[in-house]
Amino acid sequence: MLRVGVLVSGGGTNLQAIIDNCQSGAIDAEVVCVVSNKKNAYALTRAEKHNIPRYAERQEEEIAKILQSHNVSLVVAAGFMSVLSPDFIDKFRIINIHPSLIPSFCGIGYYGLNVHKAALLRGVKITGATVHFVDAGCDTGEIILQKAVEVLADDTPESLQLRVMEQAERVILPKAIQMIAKGELR
Ligand code: GRF
């Protein structure tokens, strides 16, 4: 059973999708801990409801110790709003979910609603989400899965974010974890 540690900062909709898929058996994995760099993140409440060990911690060294104490074999950055150092990245296998079709609308400053604002400003007709391995760059790691979502004429950043979360993120993140759990990826 793949032991997964999830890094969060906000609402935890991606965390919830992982938990639900683990509990339904769709993913051969277990969320063994959740760490948030924001102490009031609702994602911590979601972890509490499922009796998952949860921590509010900002110091990277402490986050690494927590993950190691739970013998995590995969780290998932799910709505995690902090860039991880090369030293941290060398310690773990990490994947990230980004709410655009990388290489569009990614990199420094492209997170949360900013991504969807940029997509609407550019006038793209298709956007989506990407799951990728985390390397020393920002959103530059090897791409694992992507899923496209149509942009509607009357979309706001909020309506687009919701559609990308519901139709893309919630689908490809659990799928990517299952691929890793089955040994289909390095
Ligand atoms: C999501 O759009 C995710 O792609 C981005 O942060 C947003 C919120 O994630 N990284 P969550 O609801 O905290 O999982």
Side-chain angles (χ1 to χ4, degrees), residues 1-4 14-31 74 76 95 170-182:
M1 182 78 81
L2 188 70
R3 296 176 65 83
V4 177
N14 286 298
L15 168 66
Q16 191 64 57
I18 298 167
I19 291 170
D20 294 347
N21 280 272
C22 289
Q23 292 196 341
S24 72
I27 307 179
D28 300 321
E30 180 188 3
V31 179
L74 175 68
V76 180
I95 65 173
R170 196 170 288 172
V171 173
I172 60 175
L173 184 53
K175 199 170 176 182
I177 296 170
Q178 178 63 350
M179 287 168 71
I180 293 168
K182 286 166 59 181

Side-chain angles (χ1 to χ4, degrees), residues 98-119:
H98 181 77
S100 76
L101 296 175
I102 289 174
S104 298
F105 313 116
C106 66
I108 303 289
Y110 288 99
Y111 55 86
L113 270 182
N114 294 353
V115 175
H116 306 292
K117 285 175 184 170

Side-chain angles (χ1 to χ4, degrees), residues 54-151:
R54 56 219 166 264
Y55 308 81
E57 178 56 63
R58 298 170 60 87
Q59 291 297 323
E60 220 179 62
E61 298 76 19
E62 292 309 311
I63 294 176
K65 287 178 188 166
I66 292 166
L67 294 168
Q68 287 162 338
S69 74
H70 286 276
N71 300 316
V72 161
S73 49
L74 175 68
V75 176
V76 180
F80 186 63
M81 301 292 180
S82 177
V83 180
L84 297 164
S85 71
D87 186 42
F88 184 94
I89 287 160
D90 285 347
K91 292 192 178 84
F92 303 99
R93 183 170 52 168
I94 311 170
I95 65 173
N96 180 50
I97 176 87
H98 181 77
S100 76
L101 296 175
I102 289 174
S104 298
F105 313 116
C106 66
I108 303 289
Y110 288 99
Y111 55 86
L113 270 182
N114 294 353
V115 175
H116 306 292
K117 285 175 184 170
L120 290 173
L121 197 62
R122 183 64 185 83
V124 295
K125 305 311 174 191
I126 296 291
T127 185
T130 303
V131 180
H132 62 93
F133 283 108
V134 173
D135 65 7
C138 182
D139 300 329
T140 53
E142 178 190 345
I143 291 173
I144 301 169
L145 288 175
Q146 294 188 301
K147 190 166 186 337
V149 169
E150 193 181 3
V151 180

